[in-house]
Amino acid sequence: MPKSSVNTLWSQGGRPLLGIVAVLAACSGSVLGPDGGDDGAPFYYYEHQPIYLKVDPAGIVVLPVDSLASDSAAVSDIVQAQLSLHGLEIDAMQPLGPPPFNWLVQLAGSVDVDAAATARAELLMMPEFRAVIPTYRTLDGDLSLYVLNRAVARFKDGVSLVQITNLVASLGAQVVAVQHWGPAGDVYLIESAPGSHAHILNVANGIEESSIALWGTPDMVDPNMRLTSLLMRQQSDRY
């Protein structure tokens, strides 16, 4: 049986520890759809092993286009208008991490799984949003986990920027920044590209599975932690 526990987000030996530290039985298979369903459970990689999650229909993480990113009222109005078509209602909304804001939208009452999935798919196709991601829970412990529209990756020595950008583009994403993390070397920050509708779990998994990467992982928020994401924690650890 797989075992997992939620720990504080930090970096050790250049490899990020992201929320869940787990030991899983070996398994095989291709990258699975991030909403799960018939193709299997969503997952991300930690230490080259898949960490499986389940969709929590009671929440959505949305990343608006830049013109709306900091306008909470506009984002709330647009999301609520679409949710209302499926009998869903916003209970609360809050920003996750620094600007440009990924917004956590929490739904009110008992949430119909199919209605929530349909609403997410429709929101993703709207021009106002760059990403729409379900919230997740861990399989063991049933703890909430919020995936941001951002992946973090490190590549092997000698890999060129052209190779990296070509790989990232093939996954429907783009490099948005490069940070030097001391002994960890250069770390690339990656987001799904505007209009691509690429799910960041699939982007991170595609990087992890490539021959040019040392590792790739989504940036995530554990609501029980004081600092929200890998990037915020890493910046704090520098000082």
Side-chain angles (χ1 to χ4, degrees):
M1 295 291 291
K3 298 179 180 180
S4 64
S5 62
V6 174
N7 295 328
T8 302
L9 210 58
W10 59 296
S11 180
Q12 175 178 317
R15 182 64 168 90
L17 305 183
L18 280 179
I20 305 171
V21 177
V23 178
L24 292 179
C27 63
S28 62
S30 60
V31 175
L32 304 175
D35 273 6
D38 293 340
D39 292 332
F43 72 95
Y44 71 96
Y45 284 105
Y46 172 73
E47 295 291 352
H48 311 301
Q49 295 295 321
I51 307 300
Y52 290 97
L53 306 169
K54 57 186 176 183
V55 173
D56 179 359
I60 309 172
V61 175
V62 299
L63 177 63
V65 295
D66 291 346
S67 60
L68 291 173
S70 298
D71 191 340
S72 60
V75 173
S76 178
D77 288 346
I78 295 168
V79 172
Q80 183 58 70
Q82 196 64 31
L83 292 176
S84 297
L85 299 177
H86 303 283
L88 303 172
E89 184 176 345
I90 295 176
D91 179 56
M93 194 175 85
Q94 67 185 80
L96 298 174
F101 292 125
N102 289 258
W103 291 91
L104 171 63
V105 179
Q106 294 173 310
L107 305 183
S110 179
V111 178
D112 181 87
V113 173
D114 293 334
T118 301
R120 288 194 303 268
E122 292 174 353
L123 286 167
L124 181 60
M125 300 305 294
M126 297 177 67
E128 291 88 352
F129 298 104
R130 289 183 54 184
V132 177
I133 305 168
T135 56
Y136 296 99
R137 288 185 177 273
T138 58
L139 289 183
D140 292 341
D142 199 39
L143 298 174
S144 296
L145 198 65
Y146 308 144
V147 175
L148 308 181
N149 182 50
R150 184 165 56 214
V152 188
R154 188 178 175 207
F155 295 89
K156 295 177 181 177
D157 292 341
V159 174
S160 70
L161 180 59
V162 171
Q163 288 176 287
I164 293 170
T165 54
N166 285 344
L167 168 65
V168 170
S170 73
L171 297 169
Q174 60 186 10
V175 175
V176 294
V178 182
Q179 294 182 353
H180 186 71
W181 284 8
D186 289 336
V187 174
Y188 289 75
L189 312 182
I190 295 156
E191 292 183 353
S192 60
S196 74
H197 308 304
H199 194 295
I200 204 65
L201 283 186
N202 286 342
V203 172
N205 292 348
I207 293 170
E208 169 74 24
E209 293 168 350
S210 75
S211 61
I212 66 173
L214 290 174
W215 49 261
T217 193
D219 198 16
M220 297 181 286
V221 173
D222 176 346
N224 297 307
M225 292 174 355
R226 182 175 60 85
L227 292 175
T228 56
S229 75
L230 170 66
L231 301 184
M232 293 177 70
R233 180 61 188 241
Q234 185 69 29
Q235 290 165 0
S236 174
D237 287 346
R238 294 178 182 176
Y239 300 102

